[in-house]
Each structure stands twice: as structure tokens, then as C-alpha cells.
């Protein structure tokens, strides 16, 4: 008994290690290519279906594909509706491992192990060009070897009286098998892994085909609950696509239950007549039916589903003004996409700089919505960039991230200066002696910040030259304003101090903007690389943070 359990435990351990290594080696490689391909093929549904299925087969990780789709949809490279085929068909692609568990691949394991050893002997694992492929082959060998061990141990299950009694108790009790499959999800992590184990048990004859199918359905439904629960702590877009994935699992479980029930009513002896060699293929077909059938049904209501999820995203962003629009912790898994999202968030924060003065301007308008908390968002973006710098391995990504980090630090430095200027205006702007010059500085700073944000969007050379001229040394002008007020002896001491502080703050804002413009032209700048929208500096096309021309 102990030896049997340890054999199964060791086999599952190798399987999990192999799956993790496969995901680690192919996630960034495949994720980047999925991101680029999806951006090009977004309007072609059938190609997106093939791309999603291929990515699911290659990575055997729906999470990796969902993360890539979330990044693309958040950056608005593709719409949320265009992300649906990627996620749904990645689920279909992961069924390949379940079919693999249904065949006898002992000789394949031996051959694959020999190939992997030869590649390591040739030191191809030390080559940057081939390291990911060699690592993926080794991971595949571990997966096969783990499945082979579990399969061999599963054949011995029926020889153990206690286990034979347990599996016999499941026979004729599909509800109990359903509950066992559901209980295995927290242990084995995914419904796919449960389906693999169930297929191996069915192959050994320990589980009948009906009970095996019910266990897989139970695992899939529990997996839907897990996905829905885990989406509570992710970004709005991540939650929306996570809920879509959970919906697919619920639909798939319902379809499989109806199909199995109908088959048992019409031909009750057909399924039970399967011999052990056919049962695992039946399990794999049930798993595939749940994934493909769910997408076929969801396809009919794709429009309303996308509309509801988009409304949920907008509502969450409206209810939480400190919620970033583009970045999330989950985006860090794909550094290249995360850099693009961070730059878009950065442009969004730039647009919000001028709003810090809206409350003290004479021509201010009544706010119709809760204002965004740009300082909090700017702080979160700075922390995001710090984490991204530590995770990025590609040199070009590290260079762009480092440059963006320096640029954003300047923006974060501007934010308290804007707040300080607004506080001074609110405190002493009612004093007639200083009201006019302080109001002029507030209006000038507001216009300057708006023009600064627009220039960063367009990167037009004429606008840049104009901004460079505007951000020249303004100390003599502000000093003349301050001296003119003081010479009248009409302002109170506190008002004079606030005016003096306004002058210093205004000069500081100008200096920081000028520093930003100079730094944005340095090598590695995201502006020069066109990270945000694929356009190079000097294109003259004004682009919003969403990447769309105005």
C-alpha cells in the first residue's frame, strides 16, 4: 500500500514539476508571440481560434494565454470580445495532455529522455538561443515520465483489497464520483490534472467510464468556482476575462452533464461496455466536449457577454478612483506587455497633472464624476515599475523600463508641486493684493501642464521645441511679480509668504517639465522606441493613452 501511494505521489510530483518547467520555459517565449500575432489577427476570428488552440497546446497553461489576452485587452490592442477566442480555444488546446494520458507512451518516454540527455550533453542548454527549447523538452520528458509512473501504479490499484473496495463503492454512484472529482481540484490545482489522473484510473479499470466522466465534470465545475473566486483580487480586465473563463467552465459542465444523461437514457449499456483501454479516450472526449461545446454555446451570446463585462469594468473603475486603468500585479508575468501597459498608465497620469489645479481656477466647472486619485495611481505605477525592473530579463525591456522609471519619477515629483500651488491659492487667493498674480500663475501652470501632456502624446518636433522654449528660465518674471506685490505693502505677511512659495513652486514645475523633455530624448526612452503605440518619435499624430488617434 505505502509503496503504491509513494509511486503515485512521485509520478504526480514529476508531472507537476514538468508542467511548471514547461510553462516557465515557454510562457515568455510563447506569450510574446501570442501578443504580436493576436495584435495582427484580431479581426480574423478563425485565425484567433487557431492561435488560441495552438498556444494552449504549446504551453498547457490557460493562465499564460489569459494573462497575454488580458494585457492586450487592457492596452486596447484588441477588444474584450476579440480576446474571447484566445481564452476559450486555449482551454481546448490543453485537452491534448488528457488525450496523451490515454495512450501507452512508455517507449516514447524512453526515446524522449534519451533525446533530452543528448541535448544536455551537447551543452545546448547553455546557449541563449536554444535554452528555452531544451528546457521545454526536458519538461516534456518529466511530464511523460510522471504520467507513465502514475499509469503503472494505477494498474496495481485493483490488486489492493482496500482500494478495490473504495473504487467499487463509486461504481453505480455517479454523484459520489462527481463529489470526489470536485474534492480533488484543491489538491491537484486544475481540472485538467484531475482529468489526467481520472483517465489513468479508468485505463487501469479502477474507475468505470460513467464514474470517470462524472469525476471530470465535478472537477471542471469546481475549477469554475476557483477561477471566479481568484478574480476578486485582480485588475478589472483580468476579473472580466476570468469570469468569462468561469462561465465557459459552467456551460461546459452543464453540456457534458446533459449529454451524458441523455446517452445513459438512450443507450445505458453502450458506455458501460467500454473496456479499460477505451475508457480513457472516453474521458478525454468528455473533457474536450466541455471545452469546445462551451465556446460554441458562448459564441451565440458573445455580444451581450462582452457588453456586460465592459460595463462591469467601467463601473469598477468609476467606483474606485484610485484604480489604475492599465497596470496590475498579474501583468508582471509578461514584462514586454507590462512595459507597454505601464507607459499607457504613465500617459494617463500625465493627463491628470493639470486636474490638480481645477479646484482653485476661476473658470472651474462642477465635477460630474468622482475625480481620479492621480497621486495614488502615480505611486502605484512607481511601485509597479520597480517590480518590473527586477523581473525583466530581456535587455531591451530592462532599458525601456529603466528609462520609463526615471521619467515617471519626475512626474511623481511634479504632483506634490501642483498640490502645493493649489494649497497656496486656496489659502491666500482671496487676498486682493495677491489674488491676480497668484491666479495668473495657477492658470499658466494649468495651461503648461495641459500642453505638456499633449506634447508627450504627439511627440511632434514643433510642439517639443515650443515646450522647450516655454520651460526656459522663468525666475526673472516670477521675481518681478513678487517684488511688485511687495512694493505696494498691501498684502499681509501670510499672503506674501504664499505668493513667494507660489513663485518657487511654479519655477520648480517648469524645471521638472524641462528635465522630463530632455530625458525623453535619451537612448532607451519609450518615446523613441514607440512602446506606447508603435509610432516613432516625431510622427506628429496625437495619440491617446488608449493608443487611438484623436
Amino acid at each position: 500500500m505505502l509503496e503504491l501511494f509513494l509511486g503515485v505521489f512521485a509520478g504526480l510530483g514529476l508531472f507537476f514539476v514538468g508542467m511548471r518547467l514547461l510553462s516557465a520555459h515557454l510562457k515568455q517565449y510563447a506569450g510574446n508571440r501570442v501578443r504580436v500575432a493576436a495584435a495582427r489577427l484580431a479581426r480574423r476570428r478563425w485565425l484567433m481560434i487557431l492561435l488560441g488552440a495552438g498556444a494552449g497546446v504549446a504551453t498547457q497553461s490557460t493562465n499564460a494565454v489569459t494573462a497575454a489576452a488580458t494585457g492586450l485587452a487592457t492596452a486596447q490592442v484588441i477588444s474584450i470580445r476579440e480576446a474571447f477566442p484566445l481564452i476559450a480555444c486555449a482551454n481546448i488546446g490543453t485537452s491534448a495532455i488528457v488525450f496523451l494520458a490515454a495512450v501507452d507512451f512508455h517507449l516514447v518516454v524512453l526515446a524522449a529522455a534519451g533525446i533530452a540527455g543528448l541535448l544536455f550533453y551537447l551543452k545546448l542548454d547553455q546557449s541563449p538561443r536554444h535554452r528555452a527549447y531544451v528546457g521545454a523538452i526536458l519538461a516534456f520528458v518529466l511530464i511523460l515520465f510522471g504520467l507513465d509512473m502514475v499509469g503503472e501504479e494505477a494498474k496495481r490499484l485493483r490488486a489492493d483489497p482496500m482500494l478495490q473496495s473504495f473504487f467499487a463503492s463509486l461504481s453505480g454512484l455517479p454523484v459520489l464520483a462527481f463529489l470526489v472529482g470536485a474534492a480533488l481540484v484543491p489538491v491537484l490545482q486544475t481540472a485538467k490534472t484531475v482529468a489526467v489522473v481520472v483517465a489513468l484510473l479508468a485505463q487501469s479499470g479502477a474507475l468505470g467510464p460513467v464514474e470517470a466522466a462524472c469525476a471530470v465534470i465535478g472537477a471542471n465545475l469546481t475549477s469554475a468556482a476557483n477561477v471566479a473566486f481568484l478574480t476578486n483580487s485582480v485588475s478589472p480586465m483580468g476579473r472580466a476575462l476570468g469570469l468569462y473563463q468561469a462561465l465557459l467552465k459552467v456551460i461546459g459542465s452543464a453540456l457534458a452533464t446533459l449529454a451524458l444523461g441523455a446517452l445513459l437514457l438512450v443507450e445505458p449499456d453502450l458506455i458501460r461496455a467500454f473496456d479499460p483501454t477505451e475508457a480513457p479516450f472516453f474521458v478525454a472526449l468528455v473533457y474536450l466536449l466541455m471545452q469546445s461545446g462551451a465556446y460554441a454555446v458562448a459564441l451565440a451570446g458573445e455580444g451581450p457577454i462582452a457588453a456586460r463585462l465592459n460595463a462591469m469594468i467601467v463601473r469598477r473603475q468609476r467606483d474606485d478612483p484610485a484604480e489604475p486603468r492599465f497596470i496590475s500585479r498579474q501583468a508582471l508575468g509578461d514584462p514586454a506587455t507590462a512595459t507597454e501597459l505601464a507607459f499607457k498608465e504613465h500617459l494617463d497620469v500625465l493627463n491628470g497633472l493639470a486636474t490638480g489645479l481645477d479646484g482653485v481656477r476661476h473658470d472651474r466647472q462642477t465635477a460630474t464624476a468622482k475625480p481620479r486619485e492621480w497621486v495614488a495611481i502615480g505611486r502605484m505605477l512607481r511601485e509597479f515599475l520597480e517590480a518590473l525592473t527586477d523581473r525583466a530579463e530581456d535587455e531591451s525591456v530592462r532599458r525601456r523600463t529603466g528609462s520609463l522609471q526615471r521619467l515617471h519619477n519626475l512626474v511623481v515629483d511634479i504632483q506634490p508641486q501642483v498640490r502645493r500651488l493649489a494649497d497656496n491659492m486656496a489659502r491666500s487667493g482671496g487676498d486682493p493684493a495677491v489674488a491676480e498674480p497668484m491666479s495668473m500663475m495657477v492658470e499658466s501652470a494649468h495651461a503648461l501642464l495641459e500642453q505638456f501632456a499633449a506634447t508627450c502624446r504627439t511627440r511632434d518636433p514643433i510642439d517639443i521645441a515650443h515646450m522647450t522654449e516655454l520651460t526656459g528660465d522663468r525666475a526673472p518674471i516670477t521675481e518681478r511679480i513678487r517684488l511688485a506685490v511687495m512694493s505696494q505693502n498691501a498684502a499681509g505677511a501670510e499672503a506674501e509668504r504664499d505668493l513667494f512659495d507660489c513663485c518657487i513652486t511654479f519655477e520648480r514645475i517648469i524645471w521638472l517639465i524641462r528635465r522630463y523633455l530632455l530625458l525623453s530624448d535619451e537612448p532607451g526612452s519609450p518615446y523613441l522606441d514607440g512602446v506606447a503605440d508603435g509610432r516613432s518619435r516625431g510622427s506628429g499624430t496625437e495619440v491617446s493613452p488608449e493608443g487611438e488617434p484623436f
Side-chain angles (χ1 to χ4, degrees):
M1 172 74 75
L2 179 60
E3 183 182 355
L4 189 150
F5 273 112
L6 288 178
V8 173
F9 185 67
L12 288 176
L14 289 174
F15 176 79
F16 287 137
V17 170
M19 292 297 293
R20 180 64 61 87
L21 287 177
L22 182 67
S23 177
H25 284 293
L26 293 182
K27 184 176 181 180
Q28 184 171 350
Y29 178 83
N32 290 339
R33 280 152 181 77
V34 168
R35 179 170 53 86
V36 173
R40 294 176 179 175
L41 306 176
R43 309 294 180 185
R44 303 175 183 178
R45 177 179 297 275
W46 284 107
L47 293 179
M48 289 287 278
I49 288 174
L50 293 175
L51 178 63
V57 171
T59 64
Q60 283 301 304
S61 173
T62 306
N63 291 337
V65 180
T66 302
T70 300
L72 289 167
T74 303
Q76 298 184 353
V77 175
I78 62 176
S79 68
I80 189 171
R81 187 170 181 174
E82 290 165 344
F84 289 168
L86 277 178
I87 297 172
C89 295
N91 285 334
I92 298 173
T94 58
S95 63
I97 195 71
V98 186
F99 278 94
L100 184 63
V103 301
D104 186 1
F105 45 79
H106 182 72
L107 295 179
V108 177
V109 174
L110 298 178
I115 293 173
L118 180 62
L119 294 176
F120 273 85
Y121 176 76
L122 297 175
K123 297 183 179 181
L124 293 180
D125 61 304
Q126 300 178 13
S127 168
R129 181 178 180 182
H130 302 101
R131 184 180 299 135
Y133 301 106
V134 175
I137 292 174
L138 175 62
F140 188 64
V141 170
L142 292 176
I143 292 172
L144 292 179
F145 192 56
L147 291 176
D148 191 48
M149 283 188 65
V150 175
E152 290 298 320
E153 296 299 330
K155 294 176 182 178
R156 299 169 52 193
L157 291 177
R158 294 183 65 86
D160 188 277
M162 185 180 299
L163 293 173
Q164 186 178 7
S165 175
F166 171 74
F167 287 113
S169 67
L170 296 179
S171 180
L173 294 174
V175 176
L176 182 57
F178 176 93
L179 295 175
V180 170
L184 285 175
V185 171
V187 179
L188 301 181
Q189 298 182 339
T190 64
K192 170 189 64 183
T193 308
V194 174
V196 168
V197 173
V198 168
L200 293 172
L201 290 174
Q203 189 178 46
S204 69
L207 274 181
V210 175
E211 291 75 21
C214 290
V216 172
I217 294 171
N220 198 61
L221 194 59
T222 305
S223 178
N226 283 349
V227 170
F229 175 76
L230 292 174
T231 57
N232 289 323
S233 59
V234 300
S235 66
M237 182 62 71
R239 175 168 173 74
L241 293 180
L243 290 176
Y244 175 72
Q245 187 176 355
L247 176 64
L248 289 175
K249 290 179 177 293
V250 171
I251 295 174
S253 300
L255 283 177
T257 302
L258 292 174
L260 183 62
L263 193 57
L264 288 174
L265 286 175
V266 176
E267 294 287 346
D269 298 327
L270 178 62
I271 301 177
R272 297 191 183 279
F274 287 151
D275 61 42
T277 60
E278 297 172 333
F281 287 100
F282 177 70
V283 173
L285 285 173
V286 170
Y287 185 83
L288 178 61
L289 170 66
M290 287 193 295
Q291 313 309 323
S292 56
Y295 180 51
V297 172
L299 195 61
E302 195 172 71
I305 293 173
R308 290 291 296 273
L309 293 178
N310 276 320
M312 185 193 73
I313 293 171
V314 172
R315 184 169 60 253
R316 182 170 173 181
Q317 291 176 337
R318 183 182 64 241
D319 294 342
D320 188 357
E323 179 79 44
R325 295 178 60 191
F326 300 102
I327 61 170
S328 66
R329 300 298 297 181
Q330 291 70 33
L332 292 171
D334 184 0
T337 302
T339 305
E340 297 182 10
L341 296 176
F343 192 76
K344 288 178 179 294
E345 197 74 62
H346 175 74
L347 291 177
D348 214 22
V349 174
L350 277 179
N351 286 336
L353 283 175
T355 63
L357 297 172
D358 286 346
V360 294
R361 296 178 62 216
H362 290 309
D363 60 345
R364 61 181 180 273
Q365 299 178 352
T366 302
T368 57
K370 189 182 296 185
R372 302 287 302 283
E373 296 182 9
W374 295 112
V375 175
I377 295 173
R379 191 183 306 115
M380 283 187 279
L381 178 55
R382 181 167 60 183
E383 295 171 356
F384 180 86
L385 288 169
E386 290 173 356
L388 182 57
T389 302
D390 294 335
R391 293 197 181 197
E393 296 181 357
D394 184 81
E395 183 60 32
S396 62
V397 174
R398 288 180 63 87
R399 185 175 63 253
R400 289 196 300 270
T401 303
S403 177
L404 179 56
Q405 192 173 15
R406 291 188 292 273
L407 290 171
H408 186 67
N409 286 338
L410 291 174
V411 174
V412 171
D413 289 342
I414 292 175
Q415 288 178 327
Q417 304 302 320
V418 173
R419 177 68 180 175
R420 187 174 176 179
L421 189 63
D423 289 344
N424 287 329
M425 181 65 185
R427 187 168 47 247
S428 300
D431 191 324
V434 298
E436 184 177 355
M438 289 181 73
S439 178
M440 288 175 56
M441 273 188 281
V442 166
E443 294 296 331
S444 297
H446 186 275
L448 188 66
L449 290 170
E450 284 192 330
Q451 182 61 36
F452 172 49
T455 300
C456 290
R457 292 195 301 267
T458 63
R459 297 301 295 176
D460 186 273
I462 297 177
D463 290 340
I464 294 174
H466 181 58
M467 278 301 300
T468 304
E469 182 180 356
L470 286 176
T471 54
D473 188 8
R474 289 292 183 265
I477 298 176
T478 55
E479 181 66 14
R480 284 200 299 271
I481 294 174
R482 187 178 65 84
L483 292 176
V485 172
M486 292 179 62
S487 65
Q488 298 175 6
N489 295 321
E494 184 178 1
E496 285 188 4
R497 284 196 301 271
D498 286 340
L499 177 63
F500 182 71
D501 194 55
C502 274
C503 294
I504 295 175
T505 304
F506 185 63
E507 294 169 15
R508 175 72 176 169
I509 291 173
I510 291 175
W511 183 86
L512 288 169
I513 292 175
R514 185 178 182 85
R515 175 63 182 154
Y516 184 102
L517 293 172
L518 295 175
L519 195 61
S520 66
D521 273 335
E522 291 185 353
S525 166
Y527 289 105
L528 301 182
D529 288 345
V531 168
D533 49 51
R535 296 175 176 86
S536 61
R537 175 189 178 280
S539 65
T541 302
E542 189 169 6
V543 177
S544 70
E546 291 81 5
E548 297 294 336
F550 284 136

